[in-house]
Amino acid sequence: MASERNLKTSTIEDHLSTFVASGELKISELIEQPRLDLIVSAFKKHGTAFIQPVKEELRDDVTYGELKLVKAYLMSGRY
């Protein structure tokens, strides 16, 4: 999608995060439950103020885009 519209992947991820935060898009449509559980657990441990500690814990198992999506989900209060 990003290349079709001449956008960066991070731009698309930012838009998706906005839709997750507003409730217009369900996180389950983007991230499978076991993966979501893993990321949520790491955010519970480290807090949502910064993504970097979660990324350092989970390393290459997750992308920054996934972390942004889950952070938006958690910050929305829908968890």
Side-chain angles (χ1 to χ4, degrees), residues 10 16 20 23-24 29 31 40 44 47-48 54 59 63 66:
S10 61
L16 291 174
V20 168
E24 295 176 67
E29 295 180 60
I31 300 177
V40 167
K44 283 184 176 181
T48 56
V54 177
R59 300 188 181 266
T63 67
E66 289 172 314

Side-chain angles (χ1 to χ4, degrees), residues 35-64 66-68 70-71 74:
R35 194 167 189 78
L36 177 61
D37 292 341
L38 175 74
I39 299 169
V40 167
S41 177
F43 269 117
K44 283 184 176 181
K45 181 178 176 182
H46 298 285
T48 56
F50 301 101
I51 288 178
Q52 190 61 36
V54 177
K55 179 63 174 163
E56 287 174 0
E57 178 179 331
L58 300 177
R59 300 188 181 266
D60 293 335
D61 291 341
V62 298
T63 67
Y64 276 104
E66 289 172 314
L67 295 178
K68 284 192 255 181
V70 175
K71 180 179 178 177
L74 292 172

